[in-house]
Amino acid sequence: MKLPKTWLDEYVELDVSPRQFAADMTMSGSKVEEYYNDGDKIKNVVIGRVDSIEDHPDSDHLVVCQIDVAGERKLQIVTGASNLKVGDIVPVCLDGAHLPDGKVIKKGKLRGVLSEGMLCSLSELGLTLGDFPYAIEDGIFVIEEPCNLGDDATKVLGIDNVVTDFEITSNRTDCYSIIGLAREAAATYDKKANIKTPVVKGCGGNAADHISVAVEAPDLCPRYIARVVKNVKIGPSPRWMRERLRLCGVRPISNIVDITNYVMLEYGQPLHAFDARFLPDRKILVRRANEGEKITTLDGTDRVLDPSILVITDGKQPVAVAGVMGGLDSEIKEDTTEVIFESANFNGPCVRKGARKLGMRTDASNLYEKGLPAYQTKLAIDRVCELVELLGCGEVVDGCVDVDNSTEKKIDLKLDVERTNKFLATSLSRDEMVAILRRLEFDVLDDDTIIVPAYRQDIECFADVAEEIVRIYGYNKVEPSLFKGSATTTVTAKYHDFKQKVSDALASLGFFEIKTYTFISPKLYDKALLADDSSLRNSVTILNPLGEDSSIMRTLTMPSMLSILSKNYNNRNTDVALFEIGKTFTPTGDANTLPDEKSVITLGAYGNLDFYDMKGYVCALLDNLKIKDVSFESGTDLPYYHPGRCATLKVGDTVIGRMGQIHPVCADNFDIGSDVYAAELSLETLYDLVDTDITYIPLPKFPAVTRDLALLCDDELEAAKIENVIKTESKKLFEDCKLFDIYKGSQIPEGKKSIAFTITLRAADRTLVDEDVDNVMKRIIKKLVADFGCEQR
């Protein structure tokens, strides 16, 4: 928010330097980004008079002028301008002059004739026709302002003004205005802000006889006020208004339009002016747009609307997008004679969503989306009418049409001196606190009830009041102090400790951690071989994505892992092992409910490893996490795994993840020319299964006995099922079981395989004898024969 010093002086006069003002305002809570003076960019440019004009002796388009700048002698300047005549007052660049674009003017010769400077156009001084409408766009700027020869041109033309640029936080909507910043400056320096209530004289009549207003969506438009001005005379604004608008970065256009922009800057309340000719039935209807309804906005763009957007209509057709931009058909023109001024309060979220949907962002929408108080709509429109009368550009019809459905939020706050001092580490008295609050235009009653000004919508609780007190008292005056009380310890949540343990374990196994974006391209689902009707394709769609490659939230992490493995493979990294702990997002089916988020541990590797290596890494991770009784079942329902080389991991009946070789077609889709092995484990499920009880098991006192068991069984029989029988039938004597051989060959019948295990048995209370071991082996073999048709070899 830009604050010109000349405009601030109208409300509160301060005798401080720009540097000191910026420092003091920043310390009182209004952060200054920068302060500058556009006149500092212009040096050695003065006012001169053209005393004579002669043709250049060696050019048919140049002329030689004698310029009086009230110096010891006249300057000779060569120019190509054709709009000059003797007696014209012009801006003159002396030798060594600097212009806003960085250009430095030096004397020299043009076609052999000495030129001791340069005559300036508007653009060369950083000005436009909006600043000085009487000038011409192409040619030397002929000045009509009162001045003396030799005067500094920046002072004569109003360029020599200090502007302070503030960074305003979104909760301080009152400071998005000149008056709001003037209040802050007055409070900072303990002065009274000279803010007057607008006074409109009027010319008689009744606005209700000229315009009617109806609001069909009071939830989106709490208040709408219309006022009428007749016998309008369109023309340029006075110089002081044009100058202030330019200093605030607004281009002057015409008196009526400039007045609405001026008041928006002054009060922070957007306004709009309609040419009454384009409201044929003299009606204004505020409603939600119809589906597919169209409007051509002031920027000349055709916009397609929908019911989520609020519009201002003439009773039938839209004439403005509420809070964003007016329509082209109802704009103020040079022959406008009657104007309807609008001052309204619109729902902030509605304006923001509408502006975003239409791809528009204006000064008005920027203000509305932050939330404005309804009470200031009346002040702002009265100020507009006051300026219309002051500038003599129309006659204001008495009264206004005011549709008011607003309800001002009232907050009951109490001044608690003791609590405030404890909160701020200060020792202020009640009188000091009350004095500070009154500087900010708060009032405090005898019972310590705080009356918050209507424009301070950001004050909601005790802490807000305390902040107001300390920022005006001075943060630099608060004595630093240590925290009181017992020592505190930062406690990391158990879940995050567990997550870190997973990371550490995988890193110790040689895996490198990666982080990928949770938004992906839908094309990755095709690469991952997901069926067209797969539920995993049901993703959360991003409303305003950066592009198609980041248009949805992922429902699985494997495509992201394969994309990174692909980059490594194509960068010729031969052996790669990666892991990620990432999120997936599954829609709930309810638009008003956040998607279901799950954390997944994803492993991916290629190079010098096979299926059993990946299984070993997974088992090592689970052992490290103390996840017990894990079983591996052949097969998975995910299509990007090789159907014959994958497994589902379970603990009991609970699925904890899947692992295996990536389908060769899928690997090829990701441009990986190697066998890829991967695993996916649910972080939340593993966390729930962790056995936190640690039991001490003493070293065995008695020796173990090992037996080898070789079996002939069906090729489809999983080794894990045999291991489970061995463990079950060994009962308390079981210690370990290891698969050491699988054989298929000419000695083995078709459809069969030979599989061999080493079984370790041990008793805790005695040395096992042959009879003990033989009984166990008989039970195991009997069970395997009965359940799976195995034969002992």
Side-chain angles (χ1 to χ4, degrees):
M1 180 69 196
K2 299 181 187 299
L3 176 64
K5 178 65 165 58
T6 52
W7 204 343
L8 174 64
D9 287 343
E10 185 176 314
Y11 299 104
V12 54
E13 293 187 11
L14 301 173
D15 186 19
V16 294
S17 67
R19 180 185 182 89
Q20 187 62 48
F21 178 71
D24 292 342
M25 291 294 286
T26 298
M27 286 304 296
S28 68
S30 301
K31 182 185 176 185
V32 174
E33 285 287 285
E34 63 173 337
Y35 61 89
Y36 57 87
N37 186 337
D38 284 337
D40 292 342
K41 300 177 183 177
I42 302 174
K43 297 179 180 178
N44 270 2
V45 180
V46 299
I47 302 300
R49 183 183 64 224
V50 180
D51 281 356
S52 69
I53 303 175
E54 297 179 358
D55 291 336
H56 192 289
D58 193 27
S59 173
D60 58 358
H61 69 280
L62 297 176
V63 295
V64 181
C65 302
Q66 298 298 318
I67 308 296
D68 186 355
V69 293
E72 295 179 358
R73 63 180 181 83
K74 294 180 182 180
L75 300 179
Q76 177 173 289
I77 295 179
V78 178
T79 180
S82 59
N83 66 310
L84 290 178
K85 64 181 185 297
V86 174
D88 283 346
I89 303 299
V90 294
V92 182
C93 290
L94 305 178
D95 182 33
H98 289 68
L99 293 176
D101 61 0
K103 187 183 297 181
V104 179
I105 306 302
K106 296 287 187 180
K107 65 180 180 180
K109 290 185 177 182
L110 289 178
R111 296 277 183 100
V113 176
L114 177 66
S115 182
E116 298 178 288
M118 186 183 79
L119 307 183
C120 297
S121 65
L122 273 175
S123 60
E124 287 167 333
L125 293 172
L127 301 171
T128 67
L129 283 179
D131 300 307
F132 293 93
Y134 60 78
I136 63 172
E137 191 164 8
D138 298 318
I140 300 303
F141 178 22
V142 179
I143 298 172
E144 297 180 5
E145 310 302 312
C147 58
N148 297 311
L149 299 183
D151 285 350
D152 188 335
T154 60
K155 298 185 183 299
V156 171
L157 301 177
I159 305 174
D160 185 30
N161 282 300
V162 175
V163 177
T164 306
D165 196 356
F166 290 86
E167 178 188 334
I168 309 298
T169 54
S170 58
N171 65 317
R172 288 301 304 272
T173 55
D174 60 302
C175 287
Y176 283 90
S177 66
I178 301 298
I179 288 178
L181 290 174
R183 287 192 180 107
E184 286 296 302
T188 300
Y189 292 98
D190 196 11
K191 291 179 175 289
K192 179 69 176 178
N194 182 28
I195 301 170
K196 298 177 181 178
T197 301
V199 177
V200 183
K201 297 176 182 178
C203 67
N206 189 344
D209 297 332
H210 294 260
I211 191 71
S212 67
V213 177
V215 178
E216 286 187 354
D219 56 323
L220 302 182
C221 179
R223 191 172 188 182
Y224 191 101
I225 304 177
R227 292 203 71 161
V228 181
V229 177
K230 61 182 183 179
N231 298 328
V232 172
K233 302 177 185 67
I234 301 297
S237 303
R239 177 181 159 180
W240 61 267
M241 180 175 285
R242 299 195 309 267
E243 188 175 296
R244 289 181 179 182
L245 290 174
R246 174 174 55 80
L247 291 172
C248 290
V250 177
R251 180 173 61 91
I253 299 173
S254 66
N255 48 13
I256 296 296
V257 176
D258 290 351
I259 286 172
T260 60
N261 288 331
Y262 185 89
V263 175
M264 180 179 70
L265 291 169
E266 191 174 38
Y267 280 83
Q269 170 65 44
L271 302 109
H272 190 66
F274 297 102
D275 189 326
R277 290 176 298 177
F278 302 105
L279 300 173
D281 297 329
R282 296 303 180 105
K283 292 181 179 179
I284 288 178
L285 174 64
V286 185
R287 60 169 172 82
R288 289 176 169 84
N290 298 321
E291 188 66 49
E293 199 166 23
K294 295 182 179 180
I295 183 176
T296 302
T297 47
L298 283 171
D299 58 0
T301 304
D302 293 333
R303 313 279 182 180
V304 180
L305 311 174
D306 64 49
S308 69
I309 299 172
L310 190 70
V311 291
I312 314 300
T313 74
D314 60 4
K316 298 175 184 177
Q317 301 297 323
V319 293
V321 179
V324 184
M325 187 179 288
L328 186 64
D329 293 339
S330 62
E331 71 172 332
I332 302 301
K333 297 179 172 58
E334 291 183 359
D335 59 347
T336 297
T337 59
E338 187 175 358
V339 170
I340 309 297
F341 283 110
E342 162 199 288
S343 180
N345 185 260
F346 298 118
N347 176 268
C350 175
V351 172
R352 180 180 180 276
K353 291 175 183 177
R356 187 185 183 96
K357 186 171 291 186
L358 295 174
M360 307 163 67
R361 187 173 177 84
T362 62
D363 291 337
S365 68
N366 184 45
L367 286 169
Y368 275 122
E369 69 185 27
K370 292 174 174 60
L372 299 176
Y375 87 95
Q376 73 179 23
T377 55
K378 184 65 167 60
L379 285 173
I381 202 166
D382 286 348
R383 176 60 169 159
V384 165
C385 294
E386 182 183 49
L387 287 172
V388 167
E389 293 180 337
L390 178 65
L391 271 56
C393 54
E395 299 175 3
V396 180
V397 177
D398 286 352
C400 64
V401 181
D402 186 355
V403 180
D404 188 0
N405 296 300
S406 63
T407 54
E408 295 295 344
K409 180 176 64 174
K410 293 184 178 180
I411 300 173
D412 185 19
L413 297 176
K414 290 284 186 179
L415 177 62
D416 188 330
V417 177
E418 182 180 353
R419 182 184 176 194
T420 303
N421 277 323
K422 185 177 180 181
F423 184 69
L424 299 176
T426 56
S427 56
L428 296 171
S429 67
R430 179 185 184 280
D431 289 344
E432 289 174 310
M433 291 185 184
V434 171
I436 289 173
L437 291 173
R438 285 178 177 162
R439 282 169 63 176
L440 292 163
E441 299 187 16
F442 290 64
D443 196 10
V444 183
L445 304 182
D446 292 339
D447 65 351
D448 286 341
T449 298
I450 299 173
I451 308 299
V452 180
Y455 57 83
R456 290 301 303 272
Q457 298 186 106
D458 59 306
I459 305 299
E460 297 182 345
C461 62
F462 159 79
D464 293 332
V465 175
E467 180 185 6
E468 294 299 296
I469 292 171
V470 73
R471 72 184 182 90
I472 298 301
Y473 171 69
Y475 293 112
N476 55 328
K477 295 180 182 178
V478 178
E479 292 292 334
S481 59
L482 297 174
F483 287 109
K484 297 179 180 179
S486 58
T488 58
T489 304
T490 301
V491 180
T492 306
K494 292 182 180 180
Y495 178 78
H496 294 290
D497 282 344
F498 176 74
K499 184 177 177 181
Q500 185 60 49
K501 187 174 183 180
V502 171
S503 267
D504 294 343
L506 289 170
S508 69
L509 292 171
F511 284 76
F512 288 88
E513 185 171 11
I514 62 171
K515 294 290 184 184
T516 60
Y517 291 117
T518 54
F519 37 85
I520 63 172
S521 167
K523 294 179 181 178
L524 290 182
Y525 290 155
D526 297 328
K527 288 186 175 183
L529 307 178
L530 293 188
D532 293 340
D533 59 350
S534 172
S535 60
L536 292 173
R537 286 183 178 268
N538 181 24
S539 305
V540 176
T541 303
I542 299 172
L543 291 178
N544 190 26
L546 296 175
E548 185 185 6
D549 289 345
S550 56
S551 59
I552 61 172
M553 303 299 288
R554 66 188 180 191
T555 58
L556 43 86
T557 56
M558 190 54 69
S560 301
M561 172 61 72
L562 293 175
S563 297
I564 303 302
L565 289 174
S566 174
K567 289 182 180 180
N568 279 272
Y569 181 82
N570 288 287
N571 285 332
R572 299 184 181 181
N573 293 326
T574 55
D575 293 286
V576 175
L578 307 175
F579 80 93
E580 178 184 19
I581 303 175
K583 293 275 191 181
T584 62
F585 301 83
T586 305
T588 59
D590 183 355
N592 296 319
T593 304
L594 292 174
D596 187 20
E597 296 184 27
K598 298 291 184 184
S599 294
V600 179
I601 307 167
T602 310
L603 283 68
Y606 67 81
N608 187 26
L609 81 164
D610 58 16
F611 176 89
Y612 295 105
D613 290 320
M614 179 57 75
K615 181 182 178 183
Y617 291 133
V618 171
C619 289
L621 171 64
L622 297 176
D623 287 345
N624 188 290
L625 300 177
K626 295 182 173 57
I627 307 294
K628 301 177 180 178
D629 302 323
V630 180
S631 63
F632 292 76
E633 294 185 2
S634 176
T636 176
D637 55 349
L638 296 175
Y640 46 81
Y641 283 110
H642 191 301
R645 300 174 186 173
C646 58
T648 298
L649 284 68
K650 291 184 175 181
V651 174
D653 294 329
T654 303
V655 175
I656 63 171
R658 297 165 179 83
M659 64 150 293
Q661 181 182 343
I662 296 298
H663 199 294
V665 174
C666 177
D668 187 58
N669 288 342
F670 282 90
D671 197 22
I672 306 174
S674 174
D675 290 344
V676 182
Y677 297 92
E680 298 161 278
L681 304 169
S682 169
L683 185 68
E684 286 93 349
T685 304
L686 294 182
Y687 178 73
D688 292 337
L689 292 171
V690 168
D691 186 358
T692 57
D693 293 333
I694 300 176
T695 304
Y696 168 72
I697 301 176
L699 293 174
K701 297 179 180 180
F702 302 95
V705 177
T706 59
R707 291 285 179 92
D708 290 343
L709 177 62
L711 301 167
L712 186 65
C713 62
D714 293 336
D715 194 15
E716 300 297 325
L717 181 61
E718 298 172 9
K721 292 183 178 180
I722 298 176
E723 290 179 355
N724 190 48
V725 170
I726 294 172
K727 183 177 181 180
T728 303
E729 296 303 318
S730 298
K731 297 181 180 178
K732 293 183 178 181
L733 299 183
F734 180 82
E735 183 170 284
D736 194 17
C737 175
K738 292 183 179 179
L739 172 69
F740 70 87
D741 183 57
I742 297 178
Y743 175 72
K744 299 176 186 178
S746 57
Q747 298 94 339
I748 304 299
E750 187 71 23
K752 298 286 186 178
K753 65 181 175 182
S754 174
I755 186 167
F757 298 87
T758 294
I759 304 171
T760 303
L761 304 175
R762 189 195 305 265
D765 56 350
R766 69 187 191 281
T767 299
L768 295 176
V769 297
D770 289 343
E771 184 179 356
D772 296 323
V773 178
D774 290 342
N775 289 336
V776 170
M777 296 303 296
K778 288 177 182 178
R779 289 200 305 271
I780 292 172
I781 294 169
K782 181 179 179 180
K783 183 66 174 177
L784 290 172
V785 171
D787 289 356
F788 307 122
C790 299
E791 298 178 24
Q792 184 178 8
R793 295 189 68 197

